[in-house]
Coordinates of all heavy atoms in Angstrom, one line a residue:
R401 N -43.4 -79.4 -26.8 CA -44.2 -79.7 -25.7 C -45.8 -79.6 -26.0 O -46.5 -80.5 -25.4 CB -43.9 -78.6 -24.6 CG -42.5 -78.7 -23.9 CD -42.6 -77.9 -22.7 NE -42.7 -76.5 -22.9 CZ -41.7 -75.7 -23.1 NH1 -40.5 -76.2 -23.3 NH2 -42.0 -74.3 -23.4
L402 N -46.1 -78.7 -27.0 CA -47.5 -78.6 -27.4 C -48.0 -79.9 -28.0 O -49.1 -80.6 -27.9 CB -47.7 -77.5 -28.2 CG -47.7 -76.1 -27.5 CD1 -47.8 -75.0 -28.6 CD2 -48.8 -76.1 -26.5
K403 N -47.0 -80.5 -28.9 CA -47.3 -81.7 -29.6 C -47.5 -83.0 -28.7 O -48.3 -83.6 -28.7 CB -46.3 -82.0 -30.6 CG -46.4 -81.0 -31.8 CD -45.2 -81.5 -32.9 CE -45.3 -80.5 -34.1 NZ -44.2 -80.8 -35.2
E404 N -46.6 -82.9 -27.7 CA -46.7 -84.0 -26.6 C -48.1 -83.9 -25.9 O -48.7 -84.8 -25.7 CB -45.5 -83.9 -25.7 CG -44.1 -84.1 -26.3 CD -43.0 -84.1 -25.4 OE1 -43.3 -83.4 -24.4 OE2 -41.9 -84.4 -25.7
N405 N -48.4 -82.7 -25.6 CA -49.7 -82.3 -24.8 C -50.8 -82.8 -25.6 O -51.9 -83.3 -25.2 CB -49.6 -81.0 -24.4 CG -48.7 -80.7 -23.3 OD1 -48.2 -81.7 -22.5 ND2 -48.4 -79.3 -23.2
A406 N -50.8 -82.4 -27.0 CA -52.0 -82.8 -27.8 C -52.0 -84.3 -28.1 O -53.2 -84.7 -28.1 CB -51.6 -82.1 -29.3
A407 N -50.9 -85.0 -28.2 CA -51.0 -86.4 -28.3 C -51.6 -87.1 -27.1 O -52.5 -87.9 -27.1 CB -49.5 -87.0 -28.5
A408 N -51.2 -86.5 -25.9 CA -51.8 -87.0 -24.7 C -53.2 -86.8 -24.6 O -54.1 -87.6 -24.1 CB -51.1 -86.4 -23.3
L409 N -53.7 -85.5 -25.0 CA -55.1 -85.1 -25.0 C -55.9 -86.0 -26.0 O -57.0 -86.5 -25.7 CB -55.3 -83.8 -25.3 CG -54.8 -82.7 -24.3 CD1 -55.0 -81.2 -24.8 CD2 -55.7 -82.9 -23.1
K410 N -55.3 -86.3 -27.1 CA -56.0 -87.1 -28.1 C -56.1 -88.6 -27.6 O -57.2 -89.2 -27.6 CB -55.2 -87.2 -29.3 CG -55.2 -86.1 -30.2 CD -54.5 -86.1 -31.5 CE -54.7 -84.8 -32.3 NZ -53.9 -84.9 -33.6
A411 N -55.1 -89.0 -26.9 CA -55.3 -90.3 -26.2 C -56.4 -90.4 -25.1 O -57.1 -91.2 -24.9 CB -53.8 -90.8 -25.7
Q412 N -56.3 -89.3 -24.3 CA -57.4 -89.2 -23.3 C -58.8 -89.0 -23.9 O -59.6 -89.7 -23.3 CB -57.0 -88.0 -22.4 CG -58.0 -87.7 -21.4 CD -57.6 -86.4 -20.5 OE1 -56.6 -85.9 -20.8 NE2 -58.4 -86.2 -19.4
A413 N -59.0 -88.4 -24.9 CA -60.1 -88.3 -25.7 C -60.6 -89.5 -26.1 O -61.8 -90.0 -26.0 CB -60.2 -87.2 -26.7
E414 N -59.8 -90.4 -26.7 CA -60.2 -91.6 -27.3 C -60.6 -92.6 -26.1 O -61.5 -93.4 -26.2 CB -58.9 -92.3 -27.9 CG -59.2 -93.5 -28.8 CD -60.1 -93.2 -29.9 OE1 -60.0 -92.0 -30.4 OE2 -60.9 -93.9 -30.4
A415 N -59.9 -92.5 -24.9 CA -60.1 -93.4 -23.7 C -61.5 -93.0 -23.4 O -62.5 -93.8 -22.9 CB -59.2 -93.2 -22.7
L416 N -61.9 -91.5 -23.2 CA -63.1 -91.1 -22.8 C -64.3 -91.7 -23.7 O -65.3 -91.9 -23.3 CB -63.1 -89.5 -22.6 CG -62.3 -89.0 -21.5 CD1 -62.3 -87.5 -21.6 CD2 -62.9 -89.5 -20.3
K417 N -64.0 -91.6 -25.1 CA -65.0 -92.0 -26.0 C -65.3 -93.6 -25.8 O -66.5 -94.0 -25.8 CB -64.5 -91.9 -27.4 CG -64.4 -90.4 -27.9 CD -63.9 -90.3 -29.4 CE -63.9 -88.9 -29.7 NZ -63.4 -88.8 -31.1
N418 N -64.3 -94.3 -25.6 CA -64.4 -95.9 -25.3 C -65.2 -96.0 -24.0 O -66.3 -96.9 -23.9 CB -63.1 -96.7 -25.2 CG -62.4 -96.5 -26.6 OD1 -63.1 -96.5 -27.7 ND2 -61.1 -96.6 -26.4
A500 N -68.2 -88.1 -18.5 CA -67.1 -88.4 -19.5 C -67.2 -87.6 -20.7 O -66.3 -87.2 -21.4 CB -67.4 -89.8 -19.7
R502 N -68.5 -84.5 -20.8 CA -67.9 -83.2 -20.5 C -66.5 -83.2 -20.5 O -65.8 -82.3 -21.2 CB -68.5 -82.7 -19.1 CG -68.0 -81.2 -18.8 CD -68.7 -80.5 -17.5 NE -68.4 -81.5 -16.4 CZ -69.3 -82.3 -15.8 NH1 -70.4 -82.5 -16.2 NH2 -68.9 -83.0 -14.7
A503 N -65.8 -84.2 -19.9 CA -64.4 -84.2 -20.1 C -63.8 -84.5 -21.5 O -63.0 -83.8 -21.8 CB -63.8 -85.4 -19.1
L504 N -64.6 -85.2 -22.2 CA -64.3 -85.4 -23.8 C -64.4 -84.1 -24.4 O -63.5 -83.8 -25.3 CB -65.2 -86.4 -24.3 CG -65.0 -86.7 -25.7 CD1 -63.6 -87.3 -26.0 CD2 -66.0 -87.7 -26.3
E505 N -65.6 -83.3 -24.1 CA -65.7 -82.1 -24.8 C -64.5 -81.1 -24.4 O -64.0 -80.5 -25.3 CB -67.0 -81.4 -24.3 CG -67.3 -80.1 -25.0 CD -68.6 -79.4 -24.6 OE1 -69.3 -80.2 -23.8 OE2 -69.0 -78.5 -25.0
E506 N -64.1 -81.1 -23.2 CA -62.9 -80.2 -22.7 C -61.7 -80.7 -23.3 O -60.9 -79.9 -23.9 CB -62.8 -80.3 -21.2 CG -64.0 -79.7 -20.5 CD -63.9 -79.8 -18.8 OE1 -62.8 -80.4 -18.5 OE2 -64.6 -79.1 -18.2
A507 N -61.4 -82.0 -23.5 CA -60.2 -82.5 -24.0 C -60.3 -82.2 -25.5 O -59.2 -81.8 -26.0 CB -60.1 -84.0 -23.9
E508 N -61.3 -82.3 -26.2 CA -61.5 -82.0 -27.7 C -61.2 -80.4 -27.8 O -60.4 -80.1 -28.8 CB -62.8 -82.4 -28.2 CG -62.9 -83.9 -28.3 CD -64.3 -84.2 -28.9 OE1 -65.2 -83.4 -28.8 OE2 -64.4 -85.4 -29.3
A509 N -61.7 -79.6 -26.9 CA -61.5 -78.1 -27.0 C -60.1 -77.8 -26.8 O -59.5 -77.1 -27.6 CB -62.4 -77.5 -25.9
R510 N -59.5 -78.4 -25.8 CA -58.1 -78.1 -25.5 C -57.2 -78.7 -26.7 O -56.2 -78.0 -27.1 CB -57.6 -78.8 -24.2 CG -58.2 -78.2 -22.9 CD -57.8 -78.9 -21.8 NE -56.3 -78.9 -21.6 CZ -55.7 -79.7 -20.8 NH1 -56.2 -80.5 -20.0 NH2 -54.2 -79.5 -20.7
C511 N -57.5 -79.7 -27.2 CA -56.8 -80.4 -28.3 C -56.9 -79.4 -29.6 O -56.0 -79.1 -30.3 CB -57.3 -81.7 -28.7 SG -56.4 -82.5 -29.9
S512 N -58.1 -78.8 -29.7 CA -58.3 -77.8 -30.9 C -57.6 -76.6 -30.7 O -56.8 -76.0 -31.6 CB -59.9 -77.4 -31.0 OG -60.6 -78.5 -31.2
R513 N -57.5 -76.1 -29.4 CA -56.7 -74.9 -29.1 C -55.2 -75.3 -29.2 O -54.4 -74.5 -29.8 CB -57.0 -74.5 -27.6 CG -58.2 -73.8 -27.4 CD -58.3 -73.1 -26.1 NE -58.0 -73.9 -24.9 CZ -59.0 -74.5 -24.2 NH1 -60.2 -74.6 -24.8 NH2 -58.7 -75.3 -23.2
L514 N -54.7 -76.5 -28.9 CA -53.3 -76.9 -29.0 C -53.0 -76.9 -30.5 O -51.8 -76.3 -31.0 CB -53.0 -78.1 -28.4 CG -52.9 -78.1 -26.8 CD1 -52.9 -79.5 -26.3 CD2 -51.8 -77.3 -26.3
E515 N -53.9 -77.5 -31.2 CA -53.7 -77.5 -32.7 C -53.5 -76.1 -33.2 O -52.7 -75.9 -34.2 CB -54.8 -78.3 -33.4 CG -54.7 -79.8 -33.0 CD -55.8 -80.6 -33.6 OE1 -56.8 -80.0 -34.2 OE2 -55.9 -81.9 -33.6
A516 N -54.5 -75.2 -33.0 CA -54.4 -73.8 -33.5 C -53.1 -73.1 -33.1 O -52.4 -72.4 -33.8 CB -55.7 -73.1 -32.9
E517 N -52.7 -73.3 -31.8 CA -51.5 -72.7 -31.2 C -50.3 -73.3 -32.0 O -49.4 -72.5 -32.3 CB -51.4 -72.9 -29.8 CG -50.4 -72.2 -29.1 CD -50.3 -72.3 -27.6 OE1 -51.1 -72.8 -27.1 OE2 -49.3 -71.7 -26.9
L518 N -50.3 -74.6 -32.2 CA -49.2 -75.2 -33.1 C -49.1 -74.7 -34.4 O -48.0 -74.4 -35.0 CB -49.4 -76.8 -33.1 CG -49.0 -77.6 -31.8 CD1 -49.5 -79.0 -31.9 CD2 -47.5 -77.4 -31.7

Side-chain angles (χ1 to χ4, degrees):
R401 288 195 299 274
L402 289 175
K403 286 181 178 179
E404 291 175 352
N405 292 335
L409 286 174
K410 286 181 179 179
Q412 183 181 359
E414 192 66 28
L416 288 172
K417 287 180 180 178
N418 294 331
R502 186 169 58 253
L504 177 62
E505 184 178 355
E506 290 178 359
E508 288 176 347
R510 288 179 64 192
C511 188
S512 297
R513 287 197 299 274
L514 286 174
E515 289 177 351
E517 190 172 354
L518 281 171

